[in-house]
Amino acid sequence: IILASMYRHLAHAPDFLRRIEAVLAPAEADGSLGRAIVANRGEAHERAKLLARAIQALRPPFAGQVEICRAIRVARG
């Protein structure tokens, strides 16, 4: 997915993409690239949890009514 996104954004720079592929190929072949991606995603998830706890928002004044309307829509199909 990441490489596909890179190709779309860097399609006008084929030499650069060839160099990147050449550099990443050994890491992909030995599995270290995949492990690094998993580790980075895990770290991002942990940081996101901390940030989410730090965000406080007041409940909107009509939140109860919105939930009731949603429940009615769901019940009616």
Side-chain angles (χ1 to χ4, degrees):
I1 295 172
I2 292 170
L3 288 178
S5 178
M6 285 176 52
Y7 277 109
R8 277 195 302 272
H9 294 292
L10 299 172
H12 64 281
D15 290 334
F16 176 75
L17 290 174
R18 277 191 283 279
R19 288 184 203 166
I20 293 294
E21 268 190 319
V23 169
L24 291 178
E28 185 175 18
D30 71 11
S32 62
L33 180 60
R35 289 190 301 275
I37 290 169
V38 169
N40 283 330
R41 285 182 176 169
E43 177 66 22
H45 178 74
E46 292 303 314
R47 288 182 184 211
K49 287 194 309 188
L50 290 173
L51 287 172
R53 283 188 218 130
I55 297 171
Q56 294 182 3
L58 298 175
R59 185 170 167 85
F62 299 106
Q65 292 173 354
V66 170
E67 288 301 317
I68 291 169
C69 292
R70 181 181 177 280
I72 292 169
R73 279 196 315 274
V74 169
R76 295 175 90 190

